[in-house]
Structures are given as structure tokens and as C-alpha cells.
Amino acid sequence: MDLTPFEPFFDRLARTGLSAWRERLAERAALRLGAQAHGDLPKWEQALARLPDLPSGRARLDDPCVGIEGVGPLDADLGRSLSAALMALHPWRKGPFCIQGVHIDTEWRSDLKWDRVAEGIAPLADRLVLDVGCGNGYHGWRMLGAGARLVIGIDPTLLFVLQWIAINRYLVRDDLAVLPLGIEDLPRDLTGFDTVFSMGVLYHRRSPIDHLMDLHRLLRPGGELVLETLVLEGEGERLLVPPGRYAAMRNVWFIPSVDALALWLGRCGFTGIRVIDVTRTGPQEQRSTDWMRFQSLPDHLDPRDSSRTIEGHPAPVRAVLIANRPESSP
Ligand SMILES: C[S@@+](CC[C@H](N)C(=O)[O-])C[C@H]1O[C@@H](n2cnc3c(N)ncnc32)[C@H](O)[C@@H]1O
């Protein structure tokens, strides 16, 4: 796979205050793509090649179901081809997306998280945004819908990158990309973002303080961090380090209380730290669907006590915190 689907985005990036990083980001994305030898890649590439041309429609980025609304109903054969090609990119975790009548009912109702986040953040109009661990870019589309000037999404999971390519086949935007990069692939001197999002990533990091330091460095002085992560409910500074799995996930390292998280942010140099939301994740937000047929949250909670995971830990609660890199930050 090559960089062709990302070229319009890199051209756009070259016309922003981040132009100096175009070459290095493109090089690193190409390296990652070259190193990816996922056994399903040929199948996924065939799926992209089978995506049909569609009649023109109206883009919907400020709608819970991101996508394209047709002017009339889609021809039934065309709808079946579209649906089959998109289904070959299973599992669809983040969404939903609606492409001319095909409703990709994803595992997550990511629109619910967006509603909780969007209320409390600085207006995105004209901002340069980085979304770390962006999945297939669902929230990135919503950021464009909220007026962001350019959104760089990064995610090392190749399938999610291909899902973004599939959706962008129809939305055709050059101001959002999901680049095949982990945060560790970003140049160490990359900085200048007005807003950096890290949602659903911190608990997967083995070194959460380093993650927060990285996010701090990526922001311009005065820029805003939007941090969403699993937390422990209750007062005081507490921390859960699951000894094994957490809600069946193998890679959960640190679940702090909100007070502990705020302390970490302060130690990493952030100011203006505020909590804008704390919400228990329920089956209305995360569940198996036709588009994500594996097990999901309801299978990973104690069937006798849904306030516990199957391992006996507190069930998932997520918080959104906002913080700033100070204006005078070195
Ligand atoms: C729980 S999902 C969150 C997706 C999205 N941000 C959201 O809130 O719905 C975590 C994402 O982080 C990505 N991820 C894993 N390791 C990463 C890394 N080193 N750098 C950036 N993203 C990473 C995963 O591929 C996955 O898409």
C-alpha cells in the first residue's frame, strides 16, 4: 500500500502552520505502511477497490451519523454492492456512518462520547487539531463539522486507517486524514497544535506520565488538551493497576481516580485543569452489532452485578478532562 490516499491531505498540510512537518510525517507514514504485513491486507484492499461510484449527495459531518445523504433512494443493486464492500472491512468499532442509506451501525455509539466532549471544549473553529488514537476518524469528521481547520488523526491499527479511506472515498475531504502512526512515531520536535485530543488511549499506555508529557509538547503554548480515559469513581487519589485483564482487555495498565489524573496533569505542566464529564459506559453505547460481530461490553460485565467487570473490577467509567499548556510554557 502506498501514500496515494493521503496525498491531498499532505498538500493541504503544506498550506498550514504545520507545513515544516509534511515530509517527515509522510516518510514515517510510508515506513509504517511498508512495515505492515497484515494477513488481511489484500482482502481489505480488494474491498476498497470494490467500493462503487455513487450519485452525488450532501455531506453530513455535524450529524450523529456521519456520511453522505443521497438526493433520492439508492438503486438496490448499488446499495448491496456498497454494503458488501464496506462489510468486508469488519469489525467497525467507531461510528456510526450513513452512506446514502447504508447505515454502518458500529460497536460504539461514538456520537454519545462526542456529545459529552463537544459541550465543554474551546470552539474548534479554525483550529489545527491532533487526534491521537483516533480509530477510523469518526471524531475527526465531527471536529471538521465543528469548524476545525485541519485534523491530523493518528492510529497504528491498519484496518481503521482503511476504514477512513473507505469513508473518504465518498466525503472526499483533504482536511482530515487518519495516518498509520502511533504517538511514538511522531517527530519529537512536532508541536503547534491548537487542540490535542487523547480519547480512549491513556489506559492502554504503559507509561501514562510519558503520554501526558508527549501531549503537552505537541500543543502550542496556550493550546488545549482534551483527555478522555477510564477512571475510578470516588474521592481522593487512587489507582487501579489490573493484575490481568480488565473487561476482557489485555492491554489496560492504569485506571486512576479523577483526582489522581488531575494531579498527574498538574505534574506534567498543565494548567486550567477541569473535569467536564464522568459517565458510566453502558450497553447503549458499546455493544455487538451486525457490523461488529465479536463480543462486546455486555459480555464483559458480571452477569449478576453489572457494576463489576467479569474479573471483579469496577465496571468502566470514563471521564473527560480539559487542560491547557500554559502560554509561558518553554
Ligand atoms: C479505545 S480506542 C479509542 C478510539 C477513539 N479515540 C475513541 O475515543 O473512540 C484506542 C485507539 O488507540 C489506538 N492506539 C493504540 N496504540 C496507539 C499508539 N501507540 N498511538 C496512538 N494510538 C494508539 C488503537 O489502535 C485504537 O484505535
Side-chain angles (χ1 to χ4, degrees):
M1 205 182 154
D2 64 21
L3 284 184
T4 307
F6 307 94
E7 292 300 354
F9 172 81
F10 282 126
D11 290 346
R12 178 74 170 243
L13 180 72
R15 301 197 298 274
T16 70
L18 298 168
S19 58
W21 282 279
R22 177 205 160 123
E23 293 309 322
R24 275 189 290 161
L25 287 173
E27 267 168 31
R28 285 167 197 223
L31 266 179
R32 268 277 188 170
L33 286 175
Q36 299 264 10
H38 197 288
D40 285 332
L41 183 57
K43 185 183 89 179
W44 296 335
E45 287 186 304
Q46 279 165 22
L48 290 182
R50 285 201 312 270
L51 286 170
D53 291 335
L54 297 179
S56 58
R58 200 162 69 86
R60 301 294 298 263
L61 301 183
D62 52 0
D63 190 276
C65 204
V66 164
I68 294 270
E69 197 174 35
V71 276
L74 196 61
D75 167 79
D77 283 342
L78 207 49
R80 272 191 290 276
S81 316
L82 173 63
S83 189
L86 291 169
M87 189 57 96
L89 298 173
H90 174 274
W92 284 83
R93 295 197 180 272
K94 311 297 174 178
F97 296 97
C98 291
I99 309 290
Q100 299 231 7
V102 173
H103 175 207
I104 305 178
D105 184 15
T106 47
E107 176 189 19
W108 282 84
R109 287 276 315 274
S110 308
D111 54 307
L112 300 180
K113 184 185 288 191
W114 183 249
D115 289 346
R116 296 194 293 270
V117 166
E119 286 286 293
I121 63 178
L124 289 177
D126 212 30
R127 287 172 90 98
L128 296 176
V129 176
L130 175 69
D131 187 4
V132 174
C134 64
N136 61 23
Y138 173 84
H139 291 126
W141 296 113
R142 301 299 305 269
M143 292 167 202
L144 291 186
R149 182 164 156 224
L150 184 96
V151 181
I152 304 185
I154 58 166
D155 203 293
T157 303
L158 191 56
L159 175 62
F160 303 155
V161 176
L162 296 192
Q163 289 177 350
W164 166 74
I165 293 172
I167 298 297
N168 203 39
R169 163 78 194 275
Y170 300 112
L171 282 166
V172 200
R173 295 289 293 241
D174 63 0
D175 42 5
L176 165 70
V178 176
L179 301 178
L181 298 173
I183 189 167
E184 62 283 4
D185 297 318
L186 295 177
R188 290 291 294 176
D189 54 347
L190 176 61
T191 189
F193 292 96
D194 299 306
T195 305
V196 172
F197 289 82
S198 167
M199 302 197 289
V201 177
L202 188 77
Y203 52 87
H204 289 314
R205 303 302 292 164
R206 275 184 298 189
S207 181
I209 300 293
D210 285 340
H211 184 68
L212 296 179
M213 296 289 230
D214 288 344
L215 300 172
H216 187 274
R217 201 183 51 246
L218 287 157
L219 283 164
R220 65 154 166 85
E224 182 172 276
L225 171 68
V226 183
L227 179 68
E228 192 262 5
T229 192
L230 287 172
V231 293
L232 289 180
E233 277 179 309
E235 304 274 297
E237 287 146 29
R238 291 174 307 115
L239 180 66
L240 170 66
V241 181
R245 294 185 182 213
Y246 175 84
M249 291 183 278
R250 275 198 207 93
N251 53 355
V252 174
W253 291 92
F254 293 90
I255 305 182
S257 60
V258 169
D259 289 341
L261 194 52
L263 179 73
W264 294 358
L265 284 164
R267 283 296 305 271
C268 292
F270 287 96
T271 53
I273 302 158
R274 58 240 185 245
V275 183
I276 61 165
D277 184 73
V278 179
T279 297
R280 166 90 57 95
T281 307
Q284 77 290 355
E285 185 166 356
Q286 188 190 11
R287 73 282 188 254
S288 309
T289 67
D290 288 347
W291 292 82
M292 203 304 288
R293 298 183 299 273
F294 304 141
Q295 289 194 332
S296 187
L297 178 68
D299 307 295
H300 303 145
L301 297 179
D302 182 336
R304 289 153 310 185
D305 176 5
S306 64
S307 71
R308 297 266 143 200
T309 68
I310 42 174
E311 302 86 4
H313 300 304
V317 172
R318 288 175 160 80
V320 183
L321 281 82
I322 307 293
N324 294 97
R325 178 173 177 172
E327 289 286 356
S328 58
S329 185

